[in-house]
């Protein structure tokens, strides 16, 4: 069953068919959300909300476009909402600073937990730069496709991408060896 | 300064993303400049990827609860769901409209700048109560209204062959 058939089935009330779409995209979507938001719990919440929103509005999906790009667009906008409303970045770091969980104790201060990105990366790159980088490096999208998701001009997306690559290069050269999540 | 340093300095100085993007394109393709950028593999190494994430099985049950039987039933009966919270991608104006707007803005900024400079640089606006006012050889020793000293302004528009004398007094 291809994507269009799955969408048709969902539109005719077969909610179970939507599971195939969720299973196909939950990994890339959660990874993007983690890279934008910085922590996994928020990322999973946003991901679930994005899937629910997508299901509710499947009838508006333009079938000439990519389902993946559409899902990423919804997810990205929800991530921005979360960042704006709750400023999760700051609270995450404050919590981590005053109440380190046992799992943090035997790791270096900059070492990221599995499924989280490093503090240095979060502090150096903006959410838009991280989004552009994740879409470029993990999903192989070009600047035009990234621009469609971020809702900006292709030239602006290219600048986000460029700035992000430059900042990561600087961080790596400064010896932030624990930037990696693996 | 080396080539890539100059390019990077230019990149920092350029204010408009479209111009920056042109330089970014160069830096991505130039062997010397691209050494200042992290490659795709470097970026992949520092970002979280789908393969790093386990335990995503709980997403579907949560989504299923969110979808709910009511929504499924609504959809199967052909009713449309409300979409107040849904955000579609904002429509962007055509490139020609964006360029026209940018050029108009630039022209307006230049006009304002030129106007301000010319206004501030005008040598022939002078004034003062009963004091001597003079411009381009035109001398006015005093001006009075109802035998009282009055404020006097002599205005000489630069493009014009005339001199305007403005005398005022508060009554």
């Amino acid at each position: 069953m291809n994507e269009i058939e799955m969408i048709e089935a969902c539109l005719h009330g077969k909610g179970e068919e939507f599971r195939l779409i969720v299973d196909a995209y939950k990994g890339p979507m959660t990874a993007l959300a983690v890279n934008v938001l910085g922590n996994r719990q928020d990322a999973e919440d946003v991901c679930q909300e994005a899937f629910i929103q997508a299901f509710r509005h499947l009838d508006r999906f333009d079938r000439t476009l990519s389902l993946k790009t559409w899902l990423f667009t919804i997810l990205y906008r929800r991530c921005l909402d979360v960042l704006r409303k709750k400023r999760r970045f700051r609270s995450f770091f404050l919590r981590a600073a005053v109440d380190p969980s046992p799992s943090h104790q035997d790791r270096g201060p900059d070492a990221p937990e599995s499924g989280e990105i490093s503090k240095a990366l979060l502090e150096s790159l903006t959410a838009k730069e991280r989004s552009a980088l994740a879409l470029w490096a993990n999903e192989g999208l070009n600047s035009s496709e990234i621009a469609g998701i971020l809702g900006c001009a292709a030239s602006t997306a290219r600048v986000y991408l460029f700035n992000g690559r430059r900042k990561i290069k600087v961080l790596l050269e400064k010896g932030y060896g624990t930037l990696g999540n693996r | 300064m080396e080539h890539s340093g100059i390019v990077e300095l230019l990149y920092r100085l350029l204010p408009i993303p479209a111009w920056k993007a042109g330089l970014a394109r160069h830096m991505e393709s130039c062997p010397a400049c691209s050494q200042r950028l992290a490659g795709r593999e470097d970026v992949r190494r520092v970002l979280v990827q789908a393969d790093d994430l386990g335990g995503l099985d709980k997403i579907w049950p949560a989504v299923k609860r969110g979808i709910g039987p009511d929504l499924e039933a609504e959809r199967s009966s052909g009713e449309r769901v409300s979409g107040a919270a849904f955000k579609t991608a904002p429509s962007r104006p055509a490139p020609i409209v964006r360029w026209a707007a940018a050029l108009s803005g630039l022209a307006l900024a230049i006009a304002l700048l030129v106007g301000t400079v010319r206004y501030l640089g005008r040598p022939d606006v002078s004034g003062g109560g009963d004091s001597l006012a003079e411009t381009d050889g035109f001398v006015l020793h005093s001006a009075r209204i109802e035998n009282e000293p009055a404020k006097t302004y002599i205005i000489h528009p630069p493009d014009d062959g005339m001199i305007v004398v403005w005398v005022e007094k508060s009554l």
Side-chain angles (χ1 to χ4, degrees), chain A residues 10-11 15-16 35 40 44 55-57 77 81 136-138 158 162-163 165-166 169 181-182, chain B residues 8 11 27-28 35 38 40 44 47-49 52 54 58 64 67 72 75 80-81 83 87 90:
Chain A
C10 294
L11 286 173
E16 276 295 324
N35 287 318
R40 178 155 177 180
E44 286 186 5
F55 182 83
R56 293 179 68 90
H57 301 287
R77 284 162 196 273
D81 286 343
W136 174 71
N138 291 352
R158 184 178 281 272
F162 178 84
N163 287 344
R165 290 176 64 190
R166 210 168 44 149
K169 183 74 173 180
N181 54 71
R182 290 181 282 183
Chain B
E8 182 149 354
Y11 180 85
M27 291 177 83
E28 286 162 1
Q35 288 180 359
R40 202 183 290 260
R44 284 171 63 86
L47 292 181
V48 171
Q49 294 174 59
D52 303 328
K58 58 186 175 184
K64 187 170 170 55
I67 291 172
E72 286 184 50
R75 178 152 286 167
R80 283 181 66 88
V81 293
K87 296 174 184 173

Side-chain angles (χ1 to χ4, degrees), chain A residues 10-16 18-19 22-23 26-28 30-31 34-35 40 44 47-48 51-53 55-60 70 73-74 77 81 114-117 121 130 133-134 136-138 140 151-153 155-156 158-159 162-163 165-166 168-169 172-173 179-182, chain B residues 8 11-12 16-18 20-25 27-28 34-68 71-73 75-76 80-90 92 98:
Chain A
C10 294
L11 286 173
H12 288 89
K14 296 177 182 171
E16 276 295 324
F18 194 61
R19 178 175 194 158
V22 172
D23 285 343
K26 65 186 179 188
T30 310
V34 170
N35 287 318
R40 178 155 177 180
E44 286 186 5
C47 220
Q48 289 163 13
F51 277 124
I52 293 166
Q53 191 174 357
F55 182 83
R56 293 179 68 90
H57 301 287
L58 265 180
D59 54 341
R60 298 187 187 180
W70 187 65
T73 306
I74 295 171
R77 284 162 196 273
D81 286 343
S114 171
E116 291 177 357
I117 60 175
L121 206 63
R130 291 196 302 276
L133 283 174
W136 174 71
N138 291 352
C152 62
S155 56
T156 306
R158 184 178 281 272
V159 169
F162 178 84
N163 287 344
R165 290 176 64 190
R166 210 168 44 149
I168 286 182
K169 183 74 173 180
L172 290 173
E173 284 174 352
L179 268 178
N181 54 71
R182 290 181 282 183
Chain B
E8 182 149 354
Y11 180 85
R12 286 170 189 270
I16 298 176
K20 279 179 180 275
L23 269 185
R25 196 174 291 117
M27 291 177 83
E28 286 162 1
S34 62
Q35 288 180 359
R36 292 181 176 231
L37 300 176
R40 202 183 290 260
E41 278 309 310
D42 291 331
V43 176
R44 284 171 63 86
R45 193 156 53 83
V46 301
L47 292 181
V48 171
Q49 294 174 59
D51 295 343
D52 303 328
L53 303 167
L56 294 177
D57 295 338
K58 58 186 175 184
I59 287 186
W60 169 245
V63 172
K64 187 170 170 55
R65 277 196 303 277
I67 291 172
L71 183 60
E72 286 184 50
R75 178 152 286 167
S76 61
R80 283 181 66 88
V81 293
S82 67
F86 184 70
K87 296 174 184 173
T88 54
R92 288 169 48 74
R98 294 205 306 271

Side-chain angles (χ1 to χ4, degrees), chain A residues 52-71:
Chain A
I52 293 166
Q53 191 174 357
F55 182 83
R56 293 179 68 90
H57 301 287
L58 265 180
D59 54 341
R60 298 187 187 180
F61 171 61
D62 179 352
R63 288 162 213 191
T64 60
L65 303 177
S66 154
L67 177 63
K68 181 172 152 182
T69 304
W70 187 65
L71 290 172

Side-chain angles (χ1 to χ4, degrees), chain B residues 105-127:
Chain B
L106 188 64
L108 181 64
I110 291 172
L112 279 173
L113 185 66
V114 169
T116 306
V117 168
R118 289 187 65 176
Y119 178 79
L120 293 177
R122 243 178 3 177
D124 48 359
V125 176
S126 57

Side-chain angles (χ1 to χ4, degrees), chain A residues 169-179:
Chain A
K169 183 74 173 180
V170 170
L171 287 173
L172 290 173
E173 284 174 352
K174 281 183 180 172
Y176 287 86
T178 54
L179 268 178

